[in-house]
Amino acid sequence: MVKYGLDYTRCRWILPLLLGIGVIFGIIALAGRGWLESQTLPYVHQASLWESCKRPERGGEWTCESLMGYAWGRAAAATYLVGFILLVICFALAIIAFAIDTLRFNFIRGIGGLLFVAAVFSVMGLVIYPVKFSTEIEMTGINMFSWAYGFGWTTAIMEICLGFFFCCLPNYEDQILGNVKPTYFYSSP
């Protein structure tokens, strides 16, 4: 942002915009039914963060079982949900921080720290789910962790990366606000 001369006022909304995209990906992961799906015929298994659904090999109706009956199901859902709520709080704080004309850079570093905490909770939920699901739920055929699970990991990776950006941004406060005179390495003869 600083090196190529991009104006601070034009670029100040990039980080809150990326947080908003992370929130959308988190909503998709929470609501999606594609955490686990059958990969090959017969397509008999489909699961979300909240329930596991099966159907007979010859077709028929899906029967769903809630994963909230398992302690690990509640733990995976709770930890991922706490991470998501922290992400939403960070998004709201970033909107507030970047809307104020005099940007408070210590406030931004706090948002970065909160994003790291959100990432820890999200990763805990994303690790608990496949480990316990594959050991405690009977699966038929070849199954894969699918698109909604991938959106969950994308959200967690965005939390980590944006945490670094929010924590490192105050180190360049003077350059961002235009308080430093540019240095030119070329001098004319």
Side-chain angles (χ1 to χ4, degrees):
M1 215 162 52
V2 176
K3 183 177 180 182
Y4 298 106
L6 296 177
D7 186 19
Y8 163 69
T9 54
R10 286 185 290 169
C11 297
R12 74 188 301 172
W13 293 105
I14 291 175
L15 291 176
L17 175 70
L18 289 172
L19 276 175
I21 292 170
V23 168
I24 291 169
F25 286 175
I27 291 170
I28 292 170
L30 284 170
R33 293 186 57 92
W35 277 58
L36 181 125
E37 294 178 337
S38 296
Q39 185 176 358
T40 58
L41 287 174
Y43 299 111
V44 294
H45 204 162
Q46 183 180 30
S48 69
L49 181 61
W50 312 102
E51 63 185 3
S52 174
C53 298
K54 295 180 183 180
R55 74 173 178 188
E57 288 187 25
R58 302 198 194 285
E61 296 294 319
W62 289 90
T63 57
C64 296
E65 171 191 15
S66 175
L67 295 178
M68 298 301 109
Y70 298 96
W72 61 266
R74 290 189 303 274
T79 54
Y80 189 79
L81 196 58
V82 166
F84 176 74
I85 290 170
L86 289 175
L87 177 65
V88 171
I89 290 170
C90 288
F91 176 63
L93 291 175
I95 294 289
I96 292 167
F98 284 97
I100 299 171
D101 287 334
T102 57
L103 189 61
R104 305 272 187 228
F105 279 93
N106 290 337
F107 185 57
I108 290 176
R109 191 168 275 150
I111 294 171
L114 196 58
L115 280 169
F116 284 124
V117 173
V120 167
F121 278 104
S122 296
V123 168
M124 283 176 18
L126 290 166
V127 169
I128 291 170
Y129 183 84
V131 169
K132 297 306 281 183
F133 193 98
S134 60
T135 58
E136 295 202 16
I137 303 289
E138 183 183 337
M139 293 187 282
T140 320
I142 299 172
N143 296 285
M144 65 178 177
F145 291 97
S146 190
W147 59 272
Y149 185 69
F151 273 107
W153 274 108
T154 304
T155 303
I157 291 168
M158 287 181 77
E159 289 168 345
I160 293 168
C161 295
L162 288 170
F164 279 114
F165 277 120
F166 274 94
C167 285
C168 293
L169 193 62
N171 295 340
Y172 300 100
E173 178 178 4
D174 290 332
Q175 289 90 343
I176 291 170
L177 296 176
N179 297 333
V180 174
K181 187 174 182 178
T183 305
Y184 300 103
F185 296 106
Y186 175 77
S187 60
S188 59

